[in-house]
Amino acid sequence: MLRLKVLARKCTQLERFYCTVNKFNTLNEAAKFLSPLLDVKEPTMYRYLTKHDFLLELERDDIRRKLDYFRYLRASNEEILQQPNLLMVHLITLENRTTILRECGFVESLNLAALSKYITLVRQKVRALKKNLLIPADLDMVEQLRKQFELNVLPVGLKSSDDLHVQPLREQFISEFLRQRLDLSDVELKRLWQSYSKIKHKSFGHTQRVVDILQYDYKFSREKIVGNLYLLHADPENLLRYPTVVPSIGGMDIKELMVKQPKVMMVPCDKVQQLLGVLRSHEIDESGILKYSAILTLAPDTIQARIIQIKKTKEFEVLLKHPRITKLIAYQTKAAIRLDFLQQLKVRCASLNVLASHSQGFEKYVRDGCDRTKGKDTAHFFSQIFAQKSDEVFTHLKRHPNWFHIPTVQIQETMDYLRAQQYTLEDIGENIQIVLYPLSRISAKLDKLHECARTGRPHDELGIELVGVSASQMLSLCLYTMELDFHFTGDGVWPEQVQLNDASTSTNIELPKTLNKDYKYGKKPAVKVGL
C-alpha cells in the first residue's frame, strides 16, 4: 500500500502544479497583481490580503473577469474592496443574482452591497424592501414579475400584496411558466422542486432562454427536457457556443451527442475543448468519451496528471490504446487502489473492466478467486501490434489451453524482449504462443539454442545440430523445449510461485497476513464521526 500512497502523493503534486499555474503562491505575488487593478498601493494590498487570504485561491483570469463585471455594474474600487466575498462567487451566479434583482424592481439600489445580501433580500416581504427604499414604493411586484415573461404567466388565484415574500412568489411564477411551456403536471413540478430546488436562484430570463435553446437549437422534445430537468441549470451562453467550440467528439456531431448524453451540456465547452486537447496530445482516441462521458466531469489538468500516472504503471500503460482507456482515466484512483489490492493477493489477470467496474462486480471477482482473463484486453493489444492479422494471431494464441491465465502486461514485456532480440512481428506471430511463457524461461531456452547454433554443437535435448535455422524456427524450437520440460501439458506458462487447483481455472487465493485492508475491495472505509 506504501507504493500506492507514494503514487497518490505524486499525482496530487502534479495536480497541484497544473492547477496553480494561474493562481498565487504567496501574498506578495497576489498583492503585486491586485494593487494596479484596484489602484491600491502594494503594502496596503498586502495588509488587505492578510485579512482576506482566501482570495489567494482565485485564479488571475477569474479575478479579471469579475472585476470587469463589477465595473460594468459601475462599482468603484472602494466598493469592490468592501465586498471581498463577492470575488469568491462564481461569475454566472453573480450575473444571475443581478438579473433576478432587476426583475424584482431593483434599479437605483442595485449595487455590490445588494448582491452580497442577495439571499437575505429575496427572502424579504415586498413591504420590507419598499420600507428600506430598495424598490419603488408604488411597485406592484406581481405585475413586475409577470412582465418578465413572453407568455402570459400569472399563477392562478394570485393577488398583489406587499405582504408576499419575494422568493416564494418567484417560485410560483417559475412553476406556472414551466406548466405552460412544458406542460408539466403537479407531480412533475413537485419532483422538480424536490430535486432541483436551486432553480429558484435562476432568473426568469435564464430559464426561458435555456428552454428555447433546448427546443429550437438542439431539437429536444418535451419528454427529453422533462426527463432531464437538471438542464434548466445549464448556462445558455455555453449551450450556444458548443457547436462552434466543440463541433464534434469522436466523429459524432455535438448536437447529436447532446441528445444521447445530455449531461455533457452541463460541462463548460472550453473545458471540454482543453480536455480533448490533452487526450490528443497523448494520442488517446477521444471516441471513448461517447461511452464514458464521466471523464468530462474531471478538470483537464486532472486528466493530464492521471495519464502521466497511467504511463508510469506498467499494468495500465499497456492499455493506453485500449478503446476503454477513458474509463480507466475516469476511475484511475479507484483502479490503482484495486490493482494494489490484487497484487497483494497475487492475482495477475484483472482486466480493465474489472479494475474500473462497480464495487459489487469487483467484490464478486475477488470472492470467486478466478484469476483469468476473457481476452478482450489482449485482443485490443494485438490489434495495435499486428493490425489486420490480429484476429488470426489471437485465434492461434487461444489454442493454448492456459492462454486466459496470462496478463496482457506480461505479453507486452515478452513482445518487447523478442523485438529487442531482432525477431520480427512475423516471426513472433507465427509462434505467438511463446508470449504466454515466463520471460526468464524464454531467455534461458533461447540462450542455449543460440549457443548451439553459434558453436555447431548438437542440442542436448533435441539431439540435432541447429544449422540454417531461421528466426521463426528458432522460436518454434524454444516453444518445443519449454513444453518438453512439462510433457507438453501447457503448464510451462506458469511461474513457479503460481499454484493452480485441479480444474486449472482459478487461483487458490489466500489472504496474506501482510494484506492492507484499509481499502477492502478497492473501497475507502467509512469515516466514523465522533459525537
Side-chain angles (χ1 to χ4, degrees):
M1 206 64 183
L2 178 61
R3 181 182 67 82
L4 184 63
K5 289 179 179 178
V6 172
L7 181 150
R9 185 161 58 249
K10 288 181 179 178
C11 183
T12 303
Q13 290 170 348
L14 276 167
E15 290 182 17
R16 189 181 300 118
F17 169 76
Y18 286 114
C19 293
T20 56
V21 169
N22 203 25
K23 291 185 179 180
F24 306 109
N25 296 316
T26 64
L27 280 172
N28 282 327
E29 189 178 321
K32 188 174 182 179
F33 173 79
L34 285 169
S35 58
L37 293 177
L38 293 169
D39 194 23
V40 176
K41 292 182 179 180
E42 200 168 312
T44 305
M45 180 55 68
Y46 183 91
R47 290 192 296 272
Y48 179 82
L49 290 172
T50 303
K51 296 180 181 179
H52 309 291
D53 57 352
F54 54 84
L55 295 176
L56 270 67
E57 296 298 317
L58 292 170
E59 295 184 358
R60 299 166 195 259
D61 292 341
D62 191 31
I63 291 175
R64 287 193 184 95
R65 285 192 292 267
K66 289 174 183 175
L67 291 179
D68 288 342
Y69 183 70
F70 293 155
R71 292 190 176 109
Y72 161 75
L73 297 177
R74 299 182 180 180
S76 65
N77 289 335
E78 184 179 354
E79 289 177 298
I80 295 173
L81 290 170
Q82 289 173 355
Q83 305 293 338
N85 290 327
L86 280 182
L87 286 168
M88 303 300 293
V89 180
H90 197 285
L91 182 58
I92 293 177
T93 302
L94 291 171
E95 292 173 345
N96 258 303
R97 290 183 178 184
T98 303
T99 307
I100 288 173
L101 292 178
R102 281 176 175 162
E103 289 175 346
C104 292
F106 286 71
V107 181
E108 298 295 333
S109 59
L110 183 53
N111 51 35
L112 297 193
L115 283 181
S116 67
K117 297 178 181 178
Y118 161 80
I119 298 295
T120 302
L121 293 178
V122 295
R123 290 175 177 173
Q124 299 289 319
K125 288 184 178 181
V126 176
R127 187 182 307 281
L129 297 179
K130 290 182 177 181
K131 183 178 180 180
N132 290 295
L133 305 179
L134 295 172
I135 59 176
D138 59 348
L139 180 72
D140 184 334
M141 184 61 75
V142 172
E143 180 62 21
Q144 172 70 17
L145 297 182
R146 189 189 67 80
K147 292 190 300 184
Q148 308 306 317
F149 293 92
E150 296 176 0
L151 298 175
N152 184 22
V153 176
L154 184 63
V156 178
L158 181 62
K159 296 181 179 180
S160 296
S161 171
D162 286 353
D163 290 325
L164 294 172
H165 287 82
V166 175
Q167 190 61 68
L169 184 59
R170 293 190 70 257
E171 292 175 21
Q172 290 185 60
F173 272 92
I174 293 173
S175 294
E176 182 61 26
F177 166 73
L178 294 175
R179 184 181 281 111
Q180 290 188 31
R181 184 66 183 271
L182 297 176
D183 194 26
L184 290 189
S185 65
D186 290 340
V187 174
E188 290 168 333
L189 282 170
K190 183 179 179 180
R191 187 173 72 246
L192 167 69
W193 290 112
Q194 286 177 340
S195 302
Y196 311 109
S197 61
K198 290 186 178 180
I199 191 69
K200 64 188 176 186
H201 295 304
K202 298 294 183 181
S203 68
F204 295 155
H206 172 279
T207 304
Q208 293 177 90
R209 197 173 181 207
V210 168
V211 174
D212 285 343
I213 293 171
L214 292 177
Q215 287 188 324
Y216 302 131
D217 290 74
Y218 286 89
K219 309 300 180 184
F220 272 38
S221 64
R222 178 261 179 198
E223 290 72 20
K224 190 72 175 180
I225 298 175
V226 173
N228 300 275
L229 286 172
Y230 60 84
L231 292 176
L232 296 176
H233 287 288
D235 176 12
E237 293 299 329
N238 185 56
L239 296 180
L240 291 174
R241 292 182 63 229
Y242 247 115
T244 303
V245 178
V246 187
S248 64
I249 295 179
M252 180 179 289
D253 182 80
I254 193 64
K255 291 186 177 181
E256 182 182 351
L257 174 61
M258 296 299 194
V259 174
K260 293 184 177 181
Q261 301 194 39
K263 287 185 179 180
V264 177
M265 290 181 158
M266 306 304 292
V267 184
C269 59
D270 292 325
K271 173 185 169 183
V272 174
Q273 184 185 46
Q274 294 171 24
L275 188 149
L276 293 176
V278 171
L279 295 180
R280 290 164 185 161
S281 68
H282 291 279
E283 299 181 349
I284 294 175
D285 187 2
E286 65 188 54
S287 61
I289 296 176
L290 303 179
K291 194 169 184 179
Y292 304 106
S293 58
I295 194 174
L296 295 176
T297 62
L298 300 175
D301 298 332
T302 302
I303 299 294
Q304 172 78 2
R306 290 189 176 187
I307 293 175
I308 291 174
Q309 289 305 318
I310 285 173
K311 288 184 174 182
K312 291 181 179 179
T313 307
K314 63 180 183 179
E315 289 84 357
F316 293 158
E317 192 272 338
V318 69
L319 303 171
L320 208 54
K321 299 297 182 182
H322 196 291
R324 294 185 177 183
I325 186 62
T326 48
K327 183 177 182 180
L328 179 60
I329 296 171
Y331 302 106
Q332 186 260 347
T333 302
K334 176 171 69 174
I337 292 172
R338 288 177 171 181
L339 177 64
D340 182 79
F341 180 83
L342 292 175
Q343 286 176 339
Q344 292 181 68
L345 297 178
K346 295 182 172 55
V347 175
R348 307 184 305 151
C349 295
S351 65
L352 183 154
N353 192 50
V354 168
L355 292 173
S357 66
H358 55 78
S359 299
Q360 293 84 354
F362 181 74
E363 185 169 338
K364 183 179 184 300
Y365 176 83
V366 174
R367 290 191 183 282
D368 289 347
C370 190
D371 189 16
R372 59 182 295 170
T373 174
K374 292 182 179 179
K376 291 183 179 180
D377 293 350
T378 303
H380 288 305
F381 174 69
F382 279 178
S383 68
Q384 298 296 321
I385 302 298
F386 295 103
Q388 296 179 351
K389 292 185 177 181
S390 61
D391 290 342
E392 179 184 345
V393 172
F394 189 49
T395 299
H396 184 51
L397 179 84
K398 291 192 292 185
R399 292 175 185 169
H400 195 287
N402 294 319
W403 71 271
F404 44 77
H405 287 298
I406 309 304
T408 306
V409 65
Q410 178 182 322
I411 292 175
Q412 182 195 40
E413 290 174 348
T414 304
M415 289 279 296
D416 291 344
Y417 169 78
L418 294 176
R419 294 300 303 277
Q421 298 298 313
Q422 306 305 313
Y423 290 99
T424 65
L425 286 178
E426 185 176 357
D427 297 332
I428 299 171
E430 291 173 353
N431 303 276
I432 192 59
Q433 292 181 4
I434 197 171
V435 300
L436 301 174
Y437 291 76
L439 191 54
S440 59
R441 199 166 288 158
I442 295 172
S443 177
K445 294 296 184 181
L446 280 178
D447 287 347
K448 189 172 183 179
L449 288 167
H450 286 146
E451 183 182 356
C452 291
R454 185 177 64 257
T455 61
R457 188 177 69 251
H459 193 281
D460 55 0
E461 293 178 281
L462 300 174
I464 59 173
E465 294 182 0
L466 304 180
V467 179
V469 177
S470 68
S472 178
Q473 290 171 334
M474 190 67 76
L475 293 182
S476 297
L477 291 173
C478 180
L479 261 174
Y480 181 88
T481 54
M482 283 191 292
E483 273 305 323
L484 185 64
D485 296 339
F486 294 88
H487 310 290
F488 302 99
T489 60
D491 288 343
V493 300
W494 303 115
E496 293 180 3
Q497 65 269 29
V498 175
Q499 300 295 326
L500 293 182
N501 64 11
D502 294 336
S504 295
T505 57
S506 62
T507 303
N508 293 326
I509 296 178
E510 294 183 4
L511 298 182
K513 294 180 180 179
T514 57
L515 178 63
N516 189 316
K517 297 182 180 179
D518 289 344
Y519 293 91
K520 188 176 181 182
Y521 302 124
K523 296 185 292 185
K524 288 186 178 181
V527 178
K528 296 182 179 180
V529 180
L531 298 177

